[in-house]
Amino acid sequence: MTNICGWWLIAATMLILPGCNQSKPEDTSMAITTQISQPEWQALEKKRVVFGHQSVGGNILNGVERLAAKYGVNLDIHEQRTAPAAKGISHFFIGNNGDPLSKIKDFATAIDAGAAQNADVAMMKLCYADFNAATDARQVANAYITNLESLAQRHPETNFVAITAPLMAVQTGPKAWIKRLIGKQPNGYVDNLRRAEFNTLLRERYLSTGRLFDLARAEAGSTGKYCMAQVGDQAVETLCPDLTNDGGHLNEHGQELVATNFLSFISSLATRQVVAK
């Protein structure tokens, strides 16, 4: 009897663990990058980039600063809502965490007021905090896409780029097992499902245009393994635990890995936009 109970406990525990080292999805929208090449740095130094974001965006920019210092590259980063006068990255905070529509509206307002004037590339990022079990991910994605395409029409001189929503690490261990046992989902599982729904819609819209920085893919796959969790009958991407200290924000290791992919992506962008059809 003891052996039967022991095996049952092991099996139940295995069901709640997030799956790492799984094969990444076939619709890979971005190759995972481990370092920035010299031609990529040279391309970056010639671009003006505008970036609207909240806290994880700040994490990425911290990683950008460290990478630039490590490689001895002069890449200017300015916090401002005015038109970028110099090459580099101009960034500003948008809206309120937990209210994705406020971020979409605030970004559009800033761009229309001149924040993207002279810019080659403009991009905005929502946060993991903008999604929970009750979020209508399709509504948020439709608002995001509609506004981005409207901005692209109004400001045709700038390449407007979409960014998938960042992820969270999922709860594991005894607490997660107990929640499963009593019929509850451990922390992070359903929330990441809503993020996955949003990200899928952005990939469907922008995958073929080259106008998508797949932040979620970088957070799930930058470490050489692929971090996913099973939610019902669906496997969804999760933030790899070794990239974070609190389950959501990026630690220094995570900042540099994600920033590497961020910079590599930006370096590859054309300054003339390709509008999604």
Side-chain angles (χ1 to χ4, degrees), residues 3-277:
N3 287 339
I4 294 175
C5 290
W7 280 111
W8 178 87
L9 180 61
I10 292 171
T13 301
M14 291 299 291
L15 289 174
I16 66 167
L17 292 176
C20 286
N21 294 314
Q22 298 188 32
S23 298
K24 57 186 174 182
E26 291 182 0
D27 63 331
T28 302
S29 55
M30 182 184 73
I32 298 300
T33 303
T34 57
Q35 63 181 7
I36 308 295
S37 68
Q38 190 61 34
E40 287 176 323
W41 281 118
Q42 291 170 350
L44 286 165
E45 291 176 329
K46 298 175 183 177
K47 286 190 168 73
R48 288 184 175 92
V49 179
V50 171
F51 181 31
H53 65 92
Q54 277 280 2
S55 55
V56 172
N59 295 164
I60 296 171
L61 292 176
N62 288 340
V64 169
E65 288 181 326
R66 283 199 300 276
L67 288 173
K70 182 184 296 185
Y71 286 91
V73 174
N74 182 24
L75 186 64
D76 291 330
I77 300 176
H78 307 281
E79 184 179 347
Q80 60 186 51
R81 280 181 173 245
T82 54
K87 307 292 186 181
I89 302 174
S90 297
H91 71 104
F92 52 89
F93 294 97
I94 52 173
N96 302 304
N97 272 338
D99 185 357
L101 298 183
S102 76
K103 296 182 178 182
I104 294 168
K105 181 179 179 180
D106 190 25
F107 182 71
T109 298
I111 297 300
D112 285 336
Q117 185 179 352
N118 303 323
D120 300 308
V121 177
M123 53 210 312
M124 67 160 292
K125 180 198 69 62
L126 298 183
C127 190
Y128 62 81
D130 295 323
F131 297 87
N132 56 47
T135 300
D136 186 336
R138 180 170 292 275
Q139 179 192 39
V140 176
N142 287 340
Y144 185 104
I145 292 168
T146 298
N147 276 269
L148 200 68
E149 294 310 308
S150 180
L151 287 170
Q153 294 290 341
R154 296 199 296 275
H155 306 278
E157 70 284 356
T158 300
N159 191 358
F160 284 86
V161 172
I163 304 178
T164 54
L167 309 170
M168 289 194 73
V170 295
Q171 185 180 36
T172 60
K175 289 184 179 180
W177 180 82
I178 291 171
K179 285 184 178 180
R180 287 282 198 189
L181 193 64
I182 62 177
K184 294 184 177 180
Q185 285 281 1
N187 294 345
Y189 281 70
V190 178
D191 296 352
N192 274 335
L193 179 59
R194 298 293 172 260
R195 296 176 190 114
E197 291 168 351
F198 173 84
N199 292 342
T200 295
L201 291 168
L202 260 60
R203 288 167 181 156
E204 289 175 352
R205 179 70 173 184
Y206 293 108
L207 179 61
S208 63
T209 70
R211 292 172 54 209
L212 179 70
F213 173 58
D214 205 336
L215 172 56
R217 191 62 48 87
E219 289 191 330
S222 288
T223 59
K225 57 189 176 185
Y226 212 80
C227 294
M228 304 183 76
Q230 195 72 24
V231 184
D233 60 354
Q234 184 173 347
V236 298
E237 294 164 318
T238 68
L239 172 59
C240 285
D242 43 351
L243 300 184
T244 181
N245 294 328
D246 63 5
H249 295 98
L250 298 169
N251 58 26
E252 287 194 6
H253 177 53
Q255 289 172 12
E256 292 195 16
L257 283 177
V258 174
T260 298
N261 287 277
F262 180 74
L263 292 174
S264 179
F265 170 79
I266 292 173
S267 75
S268 71
L269 285 171
T271 55
R272 183 180 295 274
Q273 65 175 304
V274 179
V275 179
K277 297 180 179 179

